[in-house]
Amino acid sequence: KCQDPDIERQIDLDTPRTFPNNPLFRDEVSLFNRSLIYEIANNGEEILFRILRAYANHDPEIGYMQGMNMIVGALLIIMHPKNYEQFDSSKAVVFDVFLTGPGFYKDYEDEYEEDVFWIFVHIMEEKNWRAIYKPGFPKVYEMCKYLEKNLQTQAKEICDVFKDVEV
């Protein structure tokens, strides 16, 4: 359970909106597409919900905010065990996190959900994406200023158009 029931309700509202056309997150699957979909014990929407709820409990200062579902959803798609069936390496790096060990890919499906959770934690804490979600959104403003500065120096015409239309 989530420490804050309002957060759990918001996660519940957002999970069906996450990549609705991706097979990992669809509830209904036609027999024709059965071989193309991701077959795991639980569907992606349930896994997404559990990871987002776990993160909200892990970091109560930030909790859950809209947009996190898309980050975790992308990680679930990218890191899905079916993507690594043909991969021979015993070592991989995802977002600067080393995923290593004997039989990693063979046993990966069992640890998939937990690995996605910890990589999301790494992104939020070590890459400081949690600042995007802090009250007042300080990181968003910092990123916008950085983008504006780069546009002024590297794509002045685009920057001028943005200013003209007050973006």
Side-chain angles (χ1 to χ4, degrees), residues 71-124:
I71 298 167
V72 174
L75 289 172
L76 287 169
I77 293 166
I78 292 164
M79 296 185 61
H80 195 279
K82 291 287 183 186
N83 294 331
Y84 300 99
E85 284 180 340
Q86 304 300 320
F87 196 70
D88 252 350
S89 176
S90 63
K91 178 169 83 172
V93 180
V94 177
F95 296 105
D96 297 333
V97 176
F98 285 94
L99 308 172
T100 61
F104 172 75
Y105 293 100
K106 189 177 114 211
D107 302 325
Y108 181 57
E109 192 164 334
D110 297 335
E111 299 164 4
Y112 167 58
E113 184 171 340
E114 185 178 351
D115 286 346
V116 170
F117 170 78
W118 286 114
I119 286 177
F120 182 61
V121 168
H122 174 82
I123 290 169
M124 295 296 284

Side-chain angles (χ1 to χ4, degrees), residues 24-152:
L24 180 60
F25 298 103
R26 285 206 316 256
D27 287 332
E28 296 177 18
V29 178
S30 70
L31 290 175
F32 176 75
N33 290 332
R34 189 77 177 146
S35 63
L36 301 175
I37 67 158
Y38 304 109
E39 294 178 19
I40 54 177
N42 300 303
N43 74 36
E45 196 173 300
E46 292 170 4
I47 294 171
L48 175 65
F49 179 87
R50 288 193 300 266
I51 291 171
L52 293 171
R53 182 179 59 197
Y55 184 79
N57 287 330
H58 172 80
D59 186 352
E61 178 188 359
I62 301 295
Y64 168 76
M65 305 250 329
Q66 287 181 320
M68 291 179 178
N69 59 317
M70 300 305 283
I71 298 167
V72 174
L75 289 172
L76 287 169
I77 293 166
I78 292 164
M79 296 185 61
H80 195 279
K82 291 287 183 186
N83 294 331
Y84 300 99
E85 284 180 340
Q86 304 300 320
F87 196 70
D88 252 350
S89 176
S90 63
K91 178 169 83 172
V93 180
V94 177
F95 296 105
D96 297 333
V97 176
F98 285 94
L99 308 172
T100 61
F104 172 75
Y105 293 100
K106 189 177 114 211
D107 302 325
Y108 181 57
E109 192 164 334
D110 297 335
E111 299 164 4
Y112 167 58
E113 184 171 340
E114 185 178 351
D115 286 346
V116 170
F117 170 78
W118 286 114
I119 286 177
F120 182 61
V121 168
H122 174 82
I123 290 169
M124 295 296 284
E125 294 176 0
E126 300 301 319
K127 301 298 181 184
N128 196 28
W129 283 28
R130 32 181 336 271
I132 292 171
Y133 299 100
K134 285 185 175 179
F137 306 104
K139 187 74 170 180
V140 174
Y141 287 110
E142 178 188 318
M143 293 166 76
C144 287
K145 290 292 181 192
Y146 179 79
L147 175 63
E148 183 179 1
K149 179 182 169 191
N150 281 319
L151 283 174
Q152 286 173 346

